[in-house]
Amino acid sequence: MGGVKTTTKQKIAFSVLFLCTLIVVLPVLFVLWAILKGGAPAINWQFLSTMPREGMREGGIYPAIIGTIYLVSLSVLFSLPIGLFAAIYLNEYAKDNLLTRLIRLAIVNLSGVSSVVYGLFGLALFVNFLKFGVSILSGALTLAIMNLPVIIIASTEALASVPFSFREVSLSLGASRWQTVRYSVLPNAIPGILTGAILSLARAAGETAPILFTVAAFYLPKLPKSIFDQAMALPYHLYIISTQIPNIKTEVRYGTALVLIGIVFSMNIFAVVIRAKFRKKKKW
Amino acid sequence: MSKITTKNLNLWYGSFHALKDVNLSFYEKKITAIIGPSGCGKSTLLRVFNRMNDLVEGVKVEGDVLIDNEPICGTGVCDLVKLRKKVGMVFQRPNPFPLSVYENIVFGLRVHDLAVKKDYDKIVYESLNSVLLWDDLKDRLRKSALSLSLEQKQRLCIARTIAVKPDIVLMDEPCSALDPQATARIEELMRELKNSYTIVIVTHNMQQAARVSEDTGFMLLGELIEFARTEDIFTRPQDKRTEDYITGRYG
Ligand SMILES: Nc1ncnc2c1ncn2[C@@H]1O[C@H](COP(=O)(O)OP(=O)(O)OP(=O)(O)O)[C@@H](O)[C@H]1O
Ligand SMILES: [Mg+2]
């Protein structure tokens, strides 16, 4: 192998890798740019804070924003505690046997199931069987179920990254297993758990399929009053105005997309910031 | 008086026989050293006394372990919390929690609900003082324990252990991460502590065993080959294998 040839090979390899990166990044940047350019003119206070008018061709998207916020916050109330406790059980208590390995495998697979499947599952279980109807509750529970695997996986990883010696010391000092989890493991895993939870929420905020059959209203002239009401939600609203409403101004569509992307994006940034902060502090 | 006694102690990791028929007596308020080549079961033996081996899946223990002439875990369930309050442990790597100096020391107190909050300060003072850290750290109690030097960390770990007022302190190669000067100072501390505690120390370092301990046990491949007064072990070993080891003829 001659030296020249090696460096040439290296250059080619780098160029190919760089090209692949571009292929991944460029479309994203282009989409962002298009939405920003098309949507920015529509964004103003009135757009964010008033009801849609004229068959959604005019006015704002306030109820859709509120609906999405309700859905996301209610879903995290279900998914975070359950997911966290499941992760604690799997990582701290469960023996490593066939059953737990099967459970882990199932969780990993569930996280890859397409969201429309969760939507249909939510329709069958929450809307019809448990008779919650098409409601915020049904939608939030459906989103929670969809998020559970992701939260469990992220939390398990966060717990597993806490050094074994913390548990060892704590137990050797006479702490019970639960005290050990509570006082020496969990505090050090919280940032990782939060990051995972926020990322999964960001995903939930942007999904249409799970809320399609369980909560979403085509158009509601008023805000929901309880969790048993239907609600509008941003992704579904975007879908509606893009496909069902003829002659709508493009800037309304782009504006709605921009708000949705803005919410998802800021949640992601928030998660990244938490993680970066934690990395800096972590010294063991 | 005998503080810890084992009778026909056997331990298996799965099918691996790690401790074979160990019979010994450790005496109260003395330092007992356990020496032997790597992998002979020193740590395993130490971890029998506070049942830390329970963390390993597939461990099986047979035989009796008595502390103060009572079985540490009679038949059936045993009170690990009580046992571990009585038998503290210092590990090879200094391993303070990523908390403040103060919080490290009161960790055990909180866990056992041992003292009311207003006594915490006093116990922190006493514990740090008895490991000769008080003067160094009295202005840094709220600082992270991770910012300390290795030696200070190890002293802090000892302080954390004795804050819950154990009877016995188990030390698993407590100086192996430290430099010779720090090692010498920790040994000094051990001699100090033995007035109040029964200490069992595992060490790779035969000079250390000779310097600090009254009794020494020599282990080989899971067996306790010889157990005697330290000076006897080092000057008149009864067993050929002990002699080979301390004269450096063994691996
Ligand atoms: N969790 C475990 N599972 C299986 N075997 C183990 C486990 N822990 C230790 N062993 C084995 O048991 C034997 C004794 O281990 P132990 O850690 O007690 O040795 P040691 O004398 O402390 O060695 P060192 O001086 O290296 O610390 C070794 O052969 C080791 O491989
Ligand atoms: Mg060892």
Side-chain angles (χ1 to χ4, degrees), chain B residues 13 16 18 37-44 56 173 204:
Chain B
Y13 290 118
F16 178 72
S38 193
C40 68
K42 306 182 294 293
S43 302
T44 304
V56 181
E173 303 187 35
H204 259 132

